[in-house]
Amino acid sequence: MACAYKLSLFISRSQYLNLIHSPVVLHSDHCAKKLLPWFDGMLAADEEYFKAHQEPLFSSHMLDLSEDPKAENIEICAKYFKRMAPLGLWLEMEIGITGGEEDGVDNTGVDNAALYTQPDDVYDVYQALNPISPNFSIAAAFGNVHGVYKPGNVKLQPELLGSHQEYTCAKLGGSPAQPLYVLPSFERCI
């Protein structure tokens, strides 16, 4: 009941923002597998609103199924993205894990090597999602840590994101030069 109330309150706020005719980006963040029923409600609201107004309530949604096996993560994201793409919705998906503890997921004991998404993982996401729509981004792990962790254990390697670009570009025969939207993309933030 509380989730239904929160969802209806959020949808009401979204509709209000659309009424004031100001460009507003509304993004739902870090939807884990256990929250997919809530995500279904948001996406249904997007579809209903789109039928009436030719635009969705939200601008984008993030599915964070990083604690699930890679193939399952990609499969579920592709399933939802097929519903999202006709509405013009952007999908952010997370591949790879973050260290520390966040949202009840404790990765404090994982091997540090697991904190770095591999280039072939990113390419697998690209292969699955790009045929649906180019409107997606990949939140790839590069040593990211949330919440509780031991000081000195964090070694961020954002240069890996560039390596993912190069790997995917090479797999695609050299074009386009930057086929991916990998997050965070520091070049795009400057």
Side-chain angles (χ1 to χ4, degrees), residues 9-177:
L9 179 62
F10 195 76
I11 290 169
S12 295
R13 287 182 180 170
S14 301
Q15 290 170 333
Y16 170 74
L17 289 172
N18 283 327
L19 288 175
I20 61 174
H21 302 294
S22 288
V24 175
V25 174
L26 291 173
H27 175 74
S28 67
D29 206 16
H30 287 278
C31 180
K33 191 180 210 177
K34 64 186 175 191
L35 298 174
L36 287 177
W38 197 70
F39 187 81
D40 287 327
M42 288 190 297
L43 195 48
D46 276 321
E47 291 166 331
E48 184 179 321
Y49 193 85
F50 188 87
K51 285 178 191 172
H53 304 281
Q54 289 66 58
E55 65 180 3
L57 280 170
F58 292 86
S59 307
S60 60
H61 295 292
M62 179 189 192
L63 291 172
D64 180 357
L65 307 174
S66 56
E67 62 186 275
D68 298 305
K70 179 180 85 169
E72 185 179 355
N73 180 352
I74 294 171
E75 178 185 333
I76 292 171
C77 286
K79 179 186 94 171
Y80 279 105
F81 198 36
K82 286 176 185 172
R83 281 180 65 191
M84 294 169 63
L87 308 178
L89 284 164
W90 188 274
L91 171 67
E92 178 186 352
M93 74 84 65
E94 187 161 334
I95 189 88
I97 63 168
T98 57
E101 183 180 344
E102 180 184 38
D103 297 331
V105 177
D106 186 357
N107 289 327
T108 55
V110 301
D111 177 30
N112 278 355
L115 301 177
Y116 305 96
T117 301
Q118 300 303 305
D120 59 322
D121 295 335
V122 171
Y123 183 66
D124 289 345
V125 172
Y126 178 86
Q127 283 188 301
L129 300 184
N130 196 61
I132 299 167
S133 168
N135 296 335
F136 67 93
S137 55
I138 303 168
F142 58 93
N144 324 39
V145 175
H146 292 284
V148 180
Y149 59 91
K150 293 180 186 173
N153 282 357
V154 178
K155 176 138 175 49
L156 295 178
Q157 296 182 14
E159 65 277 3
L160 291 175
L161 302 177
S163 299
H164 298 329
Q165 284 284 14
E166 292 168 9
Y167 181 85
T168 300
C169 181
K171 295 286 270 181
L172 296 173
S175 180

